[in-house]
Amino acid sequence: MTGTAKAERRRNALLIFISLAALYASSYFQRTAVPGTIFNALQTAYGFTAEQISFLGSCMVTVYAFLQLVAGALADRYGGIRLVVFGGAVFAAGVLLFPLCAGNLFLMNAARVLVGAGSSVMYLSLLRESDATFGRKNYAVVLGVIYFIGYGGGLLGTWPFAALCRYFSWRKLLLAVGIVSAVLYAVFVLCARRAAPRRIRPGGSAPAPLAGVLKNPLTWIACYCTSVNFACYFLLQSVFGMKFLEDVAGMAPSPASAVIFSLTLVCMFTLLGGGFFCRMLGNRRKPMVVISTSVALSCIVLMLLAVLLKLPPAVFAAAYFLSAFASGSSGMFVIVAQEVNAARAQTQAAAFMNMCCYLAVAAAGVFIGRLLDSFVDPALFAAGRKIVYPDRAYVTLFSVLLIPTGISFLLSLFVPETKGRFLK
């Protein structure tokens, strides 16, 4: 292959990475904007309960989670480009349908299922193409960049989206976002057509590597720890975090959404800096793992004390930022899950971890919705009034969350140091 041909191939690979990363960012916008940012609007306009609103998020992430293992196997065999060509079309259909069927809870959930199914292929496809394009040596740094871009899309679903909702209909805004997502998908397809097709691996390569991943107890420890961190952060960011700041901290919608915006920003820069910090420590993984679980536990303790002692809003914001820092270490957990297993199982390890994270989000979202609703008279939902959940509801919630975060911290102490090497 000539030097010119190699340069052209590298340029095409970079275009694929950029367009796929942009599409991944648009999928992350959907996770943060719906339902958390429009929580009150859905309650007042349609009389939805907290459980029904939470399910709009949970149904998406449940489908997303269960398809991770399938997406991982398909990405390994067919490559990420082929996978996103099909998955991106499903995603675009879902994001366009959701605002068009506002008010019909069944169709809204169906649209969210399409969003979850379509976006389930993007993260793992991006990992697969990045490993092939940039190599393992730069993997930690590239992974940080991927997360930074993805969370950047999520960032737009917080304060910027909430600010626009004060002047425009959220349905029209989400329709506009859906059109942009469809355009991004079209750009990706055009870029993908210029790329040389990757060789299709023969046979079904998934069962053996996945079996090894599932049999490894260290996989389960790493997955549990990051699932707890991620679920606590994601639910603050995307479901009840803004609502909580309005109900308990007494914030107006604008400053509350600004806190969620800053929360996402903290997480983004932690994800980006984590890879460089790891390199500075000689590729040591464990320090970030233990620090993140201890910070996650500290966040829940601080949130509980802030509610009980009626501390000022700044304390709640600080606790949110601690949660963002803890979740921002998730990239390190992905690397740990890969490196405690065999090199041939790295995509399946990442897929299994991602599945665990989003199943935790789905289950916790439904649980939190039911818990909050149990403190409110059901007749208030039918009246179409804005619901304010009492302090004791949140005290109960954070008291319960002390258990999984405490266990997570203890388990993180048993994670081995891999230093960038596969242990099997």
Side-chain angles (χ1 to χ4, degrees), residues 325-340:
F325 177 84
S327 181
S329 304
S330 57
M332 204 56 58
F333 280 100
V334 171
I335 295 173
V336 168
Q338 291 177 329
E339 292 176 351
V340 298

Side-chain angles (χ1 to χ4, degrees), residues 253-273:
S254 181
S257 61
V259 169
I260 302 299
F261 177 88
S262 302
L263 168 83
T264 310
L265 204 59
V266 170
C267 189
M268 286 172 57
F269 280 99
T270 304
L271 285 162
L272 184 62

Side-chain angles (χ1 to χ4, degrees), residues 1-17:
M1 184 181 293
T2 65
T4 303
K6 287 182 179 180
E8 180 67 21
R9 186 172 181 178
R10 285 195 296 268
R11 186 160 47 249
N12 287 342
L14 186 59
L15 287 173
I16 289 287
F17 175 79

Side-chain angles (χ1 to χ4, degrees), residues 42-311:
L42 292 172
Q43 274 194 336
T44 55
Y46 308 115
F48 293 162
T49 66
E51 182 179 354
Q52 289 172 327
I53 295 172
S54 296
F55 193 75
L56 287 172
S58 295
C59 69
M60 189 210 79
V61 297
T62 300
V63 172
Y64 178 97
F66 278 117
L67 287 178
Q68 287 303 284
L69 297 182
V70 177
L74 293 175
D76 267 342
R77 186 176 182 189
Y78 296 102
I81 295 175
R82 290 186 181 93
L83 202 55
V84 176
V85 167
F86 290 99
V90 176
F91 169 74
V95 296
L96 288 169
L97 177 62
F98 183 81
L100 294 175
C101 59
N104 186 319
L105 191 59
F106 175 80
L107 290 180
M108 291 173 76
N109 280 310
R112 295 293 286 170
V113 167
L114 291 178
V115 172
S119 60
S120 67
V121 306
M122 294 178 189
Y123 169 70
L124 294 172
S125 296
L126 196 49
L127 291 188
R128 180 78 174 81
E129 294 305 313
S130 298
D131 187 52
T133 302
F134 301 104
R136 193 73 195 178
K137 180 181 178 182
N138 302 306
Y139 193 70
V141 175
V142 173
L143 191 59
V145 172
I146 290 171
Y147 278 120
F148 187 84
I149 294 172
Y151 278 61
L155 191 70
L156 296 177
T158 58
W159 175 75
F161 180 58
L164 289 173
C165 284
R166 294 200 301 272
Y167 302 101
F168 305 99
S169 165
W170 64 265
R171 294 179 296 277
K172 292 180 179 179
L173 289 172
L174 285 182
L175 182 59
V177 170
I179 293 171
V180 171
S181 298
V183 170
L184 288 174
Y185 168 69
V187 171
F188 168 79
V189 171
L190 290 175
C191 293
R193 293 181 63 183
R194 299 180 58 188
R198 297 201 186 280
R199 181 177 62 88
I200 298 176
R201 294 183 181 180
S205 58
L210 178 60
V213 168
L214 296 179
K215 289 178 182 178
N216 188 346
L218 294 176
T219 302
W220 290 92
I221 291 176
C223 288
Y224 176 82
C225 292
T226 195
S227 294
V228 170
N229 286 3
F230 182 74
C232 290
Y233 163 78
F234 191 92
L235 292 169
L236 283 177
Q237 178 199 50
S238 305
V239 181
F240 77 94
M242 184 170 166
K243 175 71 173 168
F244 170 79
L245 291 174
E246 295 179 33
D247 288 355
V248 178
M251 288 188 180
S254 181
S257 61
V259 169
I260 302 299
F261 177 88
S262 302
L263 168 83
T264 310
L265 204 59
V266 170
C267 189
M268 286 172 57
F269 280 99
T270 304
L271 285 162
L272 184 62
F276 293 101
F277 182 67
C278 177
R279 290 285 294 270
M280 290 171 58
L281 294 178
N283 272 340
R284 288 179 174 83
R285 321 300 196 191
K286 188 166 183 175
M288 284 289 289
V289 167
V290 176
I291 289 171
S292 70
T293 56
S294 61
V295 169
L297 176 60
S298 301
C299 164
I300 300 301
V301 172
L302 183 57
M303 292 282 277
L304 181 59
L305 291 176
V307 178
L308 288 171
L309 302 177
K310 299 187 182 301
L311 298 178

Side-chain angles (χ1 to χ4, degrees), residues 376-393:
V376 175
D377 183 353
L380 295 176
F381 296 110
R385 295 171 53 187
K386 178 181 176 181
I387 306 300
V388 176
Y389 296 98
D391 288 5
R392 66 181 185 279

Side-chain angles (χ1 to χ4, degrees), residues 48 188 202 322 328 400 406 411:
F48 293 162
F188 168 79
L322 288 177
V400 171
L411 288 177

Side-chain angles (χ1 to χ4, degrees), residues 343-407:
R344 68 192 181 105
Q346 58 180 296
T347 305
Q348 286 296 303
F352 180 68
M353 172 168 282
N354 213 32
M355 182 190 76
C356 290
C357 286
Y358 282 95
L359 283 179
V361 168
V366 172
F367 167 77
I368 290 172
R370 288 185 177 179
L371 186 149
L372 294 178
D373 284 343
S374 69
F375 287 86
V376 175
D377 183 353
L380 295 176
F381 296 110
R385 295 171 53 187
K386 178 181 176 181
I387 306 300
V388 176
Y389 296 98
D391 288 5
R392 66 181 185 279
Y394 293 106
V395 168
T396 303
L397 171 60
F398 293 121
S399 297
V400 171
L401 290 179
L402 283 175
I403 299 172
T405 51
I407 294 173

